[in-house]
Amino acid sequence: KQEVTQIPAALSVPEGENLVLNCSFTDSAIYNLQWFRQDPGKGLTSLLLIQSSQREQTSGRLNASLDKSSGRSTLYIAASQPGDSATYLCAATGAGSYQLTFGKGTKLSVIP
Amino acid sequence: NAGVTQTPKFQVLKTGQSMTLQCAQDMNHNSMYWYRQDPGMGLRLIYYSASEGTTDKGEVPNGYNVSRLNKREFSLRLESAAPSQTSVYFCASSEESTYEQYFGPGTRLTVT
């Protein structure tokens, strides 16, 4: 059974700092990996999707990487802003399966 | 283009009452999903539907039933609500080519 882990559970950084959020998964036979953002009391917003054949994806100040062999993905946020404060979730889709397995998230606070 | 919509946004039930959570998507996706999100447990899949007319159990299906009414709509029914079903419920749908999932805003359910 796939397990997805996100460390740390919470992170506080000063505004302007570059930061990395980590995600690890136990079964490397994934179809894709998706990063989401969740604001308090809101739904999930898809940030980046990395297919299993890709190494990274970029959107604005966000860059996500995928290393299937080591079972790891990272989300890099450049020049963090207070508006980036939210919980970030990663989730893996198993090969041959529709099911997303979620990590429990990293709660990010960017201090002005 | 509304994406994924859910009704109601909030609901309070007494133990033993029944209710149906509604979900609709306007992205012409074949696959739809119901998740629940609980503190410390993350998001867990309740049921999913790979196409109109088909449904399958996810990780935590007990106490729930689903109906894929047509391609757009996927409903979740609680026949006899229990306090353990107090949670935030999210509906999602996904593209066929990438399996990227898009989420609705959620329904916050309290069972007393």
Side-chain angles (χ1 to χ4, degrees):
Chain A
K1 179 187 169 186
Q2 177 77 274
E3 291 183 6
V4 177
T5 303
Q6 292 184 249
I7 295 173
L11 180 65
S12 183
V13 300
E15 181 178 2
E17 192 163 296
N18 302 326
L19 62 101
V20 174
L21 305 181
N22 296 297
C23 173
S24 61
F25 46 94
T26 55
D27 186 350
S28 62
I30 62 170
Y31 188 80
N32 64 36
L33 189 131
Q34 205 166 344
W35 282 93
F36 295 89
R37 170 186 172 134
Q38 186 175 29
D39 293 290
K42 303 292 185 183
L44 280 69
T45 301
S46 180
L47 296 174
L48 289 165
L49 175 85
I50 312 177
Q51 300 280 24
S52 62
S53 58
Q54 298 172 321
R55 296 283 293 183
E56 64 180 284
Q57 283 284 345
T58 298
S59 176
R61 294 183 294 108
L62 305 180
N63 175 279
S65 68
L66 176 65
D67 183 344
K68 282 178 53 178
S69 61
S70 67
R72 294 171 60 182
S73 176
T74 60
L75 179 67
Y76 173 83
I77 302 177
S80 58
Q81 303 170 358
D84 295 329
S85 298
T87 296
Y88 291 81
L89 297 157
C90 73
T93 303
S97 166
Y98 295 95
Q99 299 190 31
L100 268 180
T101 302
F102 280 85
K104 294 181 181 177
T106 294
K107 185 176 181 180
L108 173 65
S109 298
V110 181
I111 312 301
Chain B
N1 191 339
V4 180
T5 56
Q6 293 182 236
T7 55
K9 287 187 167 53
F10 300 94
Q11 184 70 50
V12 179
L13 291 178
K14 289 189 163 74
T15 297
Q17 288 184 319
S18 62
M19 79 161 296
T20 300
L21 282 64
Q22 306 286 354
C23 173
Q25 52 92 9
D26 62 2
M27 295 175 281
N28 202 35
H29 290 163
N30 282 327
S31 302
M32 297 185 73
Y33 313 82
W34 277 105
Y35 294 88
R36 61 178 289 173
Q37 185 176 35
D38 302 290
M41 300 296 292
L43 275 123
R44 294 176 293 170
L45 183 66
I46 305 171
Y47 270 94
Y48 66 99
S49 171
S51 62
E52 186 178 349
T54 68
T55 61
D56 286 285
K57 295 178 181 178
E59 184 183 352
V60 288
N62 291 344
Y64 305 96
N65 286 303
V66 290
S67 295
R68 184 72 183 268
L69 304 169
N70 48 54
K71 190 171 186 178
R72 290 188 64 247
E73 299 172 290
F74 188 36
S75 63
L76 179 72
R77 183 160 178 84
L78 286 70
E79 291 290 353
S80 179
S84 61
Q85 294 178 304
T86 292
S87 188
V88 182
Y89 291 86
F90 290 102
C91 178
S93 66
S94 68
E95 292 185 352
E96 299 315 302
S97 57
T98 65
Y99 291 122
E100 182 169 8
Q101 292 197 18
Y102 299 85
F103 281 73
T107 294
R108 281 147 187 83
L109 175 67
T110 301
V111 183
T112 60

